[in-house]
Amino acid sequence: MTASNEQQAEAYRAKPEPGQLVEVRRRQWVVSDVLSSSLESSAASQNVVTLSSIDEDGLGEELEVVWEIEPGAQVIERAGLPEITGQDDATTLDAFLDAVRWGAATNADRGFLQAPFRSGVSIEAFQLDPLVRAIDMARVNLLIADDVGLGKTIEAGLVIQELLLRHRARTTLIVCPASLQEKWRVEMLEKFGLDFRVVDSAYIKRLRRERGIHANPWTSHPRLITSMDWAKSGEGL
């Protein structure tokens, strides 16, 4: 290992400071607090670091670790601005500006719909009707009752994605028959890029092994699917 690499490794393992971005257990966190050891008999000082998750799947989750003995813990090097190596052509610039405009839709801007452009499906005109109605509602409350095969799942997915993109919704819970749980999960992932997790007995057991017996399954992920019968049983409450 060269001298520069050794210095870089030492910097990664150095005691972090509040506000720094770190990587612990293959996830990224922001340092909330650092408490140094007060034991005089310690051969080397140790620090208890309080971390706050910035990952989408665990936003706001907190973790305390002893920094010096936590395997793989490191401070993420601050990245600088990229170097400008050239200019894009006019077509690329136009596409970029269109993407910025589509991504800048706000709660008050009802003229732009983002979900149809970000989904991976071919949408029929009638499937946009529930989406337009949802955007016009102060509080979305829709009953979609189209005939079988007309794409109710797609219509619901468009509404979910649009509300998430506009920050009008932060969490989503889909309650459906047990036989349709996997269908909903796959379609939301493949057609809208939305990662849902199925909450059932197996999920509860795995979650509590990983996060403790008091882990709440309903706050474990921002997008969840469960069956009507399992929800009525109250097992996860």
Side-chain angles (χ1 to χ4, degrees):
M1 181 181 291
T2 64
S4 61
N5 289 339
E6 290 178 355
Q7 292 175 354
Q8 189 177 38
E10 290 179 1
Y12 284 162
R13 293 299 302 172
K15 181 181 75 173
E17 299 177 357
Q20 281 189 313
L21 186 65
V22 300
E23 181 176 319
V24 174
R25 302 178 188 179
R26 298 186 179 181
R27 295 172 62 184
Q28 292 189 359
W29 310 75
V30 171
V31 178
S32 301
D33 190 23
V34 179
L35 180 62
S36 299
S37 172
S38 59
L39 298 177
E40 297 180 357
S41 59
S42 299
S45 62
Q46 293 185 342
N47 301 276
V48 177
V49 180
T50 303
L51 307 171
S52 180
S53 175
I54 61 172
D55 284 352
E56 181 183 359
D57 294 346
L59 192 62
E61 178 183 341
E62 290 195 346
L63 176 70
E64 286 190 349
V65 299
V66 179
W67 184 258
E68 285 72 19
I69 63 174
E70 179 67 27
Q74 64 179 19
V75 176
I76 297 178
E77 185 179 11
R78 182 174 297 177
L81 293 174
E83 295 183 1
I84 299 176
T85 57
Q87 294 182 345
D88 294 326
D89 56 47
T91 303
T92 303
L93 178 60
D94 285 342
F96 171 74
L97 294 177
D98 286 340
V100 171
R101 281 195 292 269
W102 291 336
T106 63
N107 293 345
D109 187 359
R110 299 174 181 175
F112 290 97
L113 298 177
Q114 298 185 74
F117 299 99
R118 301 198 182 195
S119 64
V121 293
S122 178
I123 301 171
E124 301 292 339
F126 71 87
Q127 292 175 328
L128 294 175
D129 185 60
L131 176 57
V132 174
R133 291 174 182 268
I135 297 303
D136 286 336
M137 292 180 175
R139 182 174 182 179
V140 180
N141 185 9
L142 283 176
L143 173 62
I144 301 175
D146 290 341
D147 290 337
V148 176
L150 292 183
K152 293 186 292 296
T153 305
I154 292 176
E155 293 172 351
L158 288 171
V159 173
I160 292 171
Q161 189 173 50
E162 188 73 30
L163 294 178
L164 292 173
L165 290 171
R166 290 172 177 262
H167 303 287
R168 289 182 58 181
R170 298 178 62 184
T171 59
T172 306
L173 173 63
I174 296 175
V175 182
C176 62
S179 59
L180 298 179
Q181 289 180 114
E182 186 62 16
K183 176 179 181 294
W184 272 94
R185 188 193 68 80
V186 171
E187 292 207 10
M188 290 297 104
L189 181 61
E190 292 183 349
K191 295 180 179 178
F192 300 98
L194 298 175
D195 178 27
F196 279 79
R197 296 180 183 176
V198 176
V199 178
D200 53 17
S201 299
Y203 179 80
I204 297 292
K205 292 178 182 178
R206 183 172 68 254
L207 179 69
R208 290 177 175 169
R209 281 198 304 268
E210 295 174 353
R211 303 189 185 181
I213 61 173
H214 298 295
N216 185 349
W218 307 112
T219 59
S220 63
H221 192 71
R223 295 173 297 278
L224 299 171
I225 299 173
T226 193
S227 70
M228 293 181 289
D229 291 336
W230 196 88
K232 287 188 293 185
S233 71
E235 183 177 342
L237 301 178

